[in-house]
Amino acid sequence: MSKPRYRWGGYVKNVIRAYPELKREYDALHEQSITANTSGTRGSGGANRGLEAIVMRELPGPKQRELDAVRSTIQLTERLRTGKDRLKLIDMVFWKGTHTLSGAALALNISYDTAVDYHGDFIMLVAFQKELITADELKPAQKIALKSQKYVLE
């Protein structure tokens, strides 16, 4: 029996694939300008409150929420016993695009079924972070990941 397909599945995979680019955009917004004020007058060189200007910069709403959802899922995954392997798999399949799911399983010396589970868990957790699904739709292992972060499951 095959797993159910969700209408949002392709969207969530695209959000995960876009994470490296969104992270670069976010980091670029938060780089502090170190250009000297050459005008000779105080405060005329641009923003007077450089640190505040950096802190307040964010990506446009939808992009920021997508970045936050993937970032939160990465943090959840890092705390798992198998977190390093899970993130390596996601990196190879989604971010670098160097491996298929079966190729990443071979590279990580895990079974294909385990790779499918890691892959699916990550997608479902991003969907949960994006509020596309409820906690009731998560598998027990995914709920454990959330509880490790002290999330309140309804």
Side-chain angles (χ1 to χ4, degrees):
M1 192 162 118
S2 65
K3 291 187 177 182
R5 303 257 181 212
Y6 298 98
R7 280 188 268 156
W8 48 257
Y11 166 69
V12 171
K13 289 178 184 178
N14 287 334
V15 167
I16 295 167
R17 283 186 195 103
Y19 174 75
E21 180 59 32
L22 289 175
K23 187 172 182 330
R24 274 192 291 279
E25 286 180 36
Y26 181 83
D27 291 344
L29 285 174
H30 289 81
E31 287 180 2
Q32 186 168 10
S33 174
I34 55 172
T35 307
N37 179 2
T38 58
S39 68
T41 59
R42 272 185 89 165
S44 63
N48 294 338
R49 304 170 122 181
L51 183 58
E52 287 178 10
I54 289 170
V55 170
M56 293 173 57
R57 292 182 202 150
E58 285 194 350
L59 294 170
K63 284 184 173 183
Q64 185 66 45
R65 287 188 295 274
E66 290 172 357
L67 176 70
D68 292 343
V70 177
R71 186 183 293 157
S72 296
T73 303
I74 290 169
Q75 290 171 352
L76 288 170
T77 304
E78 286 174 338
R79 291 181 170 241
L80 298 174
R81 184 175 44 84
T82 56
K84 286 184 181 181
D85 282 344
R86 289 172 182 261
L87 290 175
K88 285 180 188 174
L89 179 120
I90 296 303
D91 185 45
M92 287 188 257
V93 173
F94 283 114
W95 299 328
K96 289 182 181 167
T98 57
H99 293 73
T100 62
L101 198 52
S102 58
L106 286 171
L108 294 171
N109 200 25
I110 58 176
S111 72
Y112 178 74
D113 290 341
T114 300
V116 168
D117 287 343
Y118 290 178
H119 182 261
D121 289 350
F122 196 85
I123 291 168
M124 293 294 281
L125 288 171
V126 171
F128 176 76
Q129 297 293 339
K130 286 285 296 166
E131 299 178 357
L132 298 172
I133 59 173
T134 64
D136 294 335
E137 296 175 78
L138 296 173
K139 295 188 310 189
Q142 296 160 343
K143 289 181 182 181
I144 290 169
L146 291 173
K147 285 180 183 177
S148 74
Q149 283 292 98
K150 298 185 173 101
Y151 277 85
V152 177
L153 298 179
E154 301 171 48

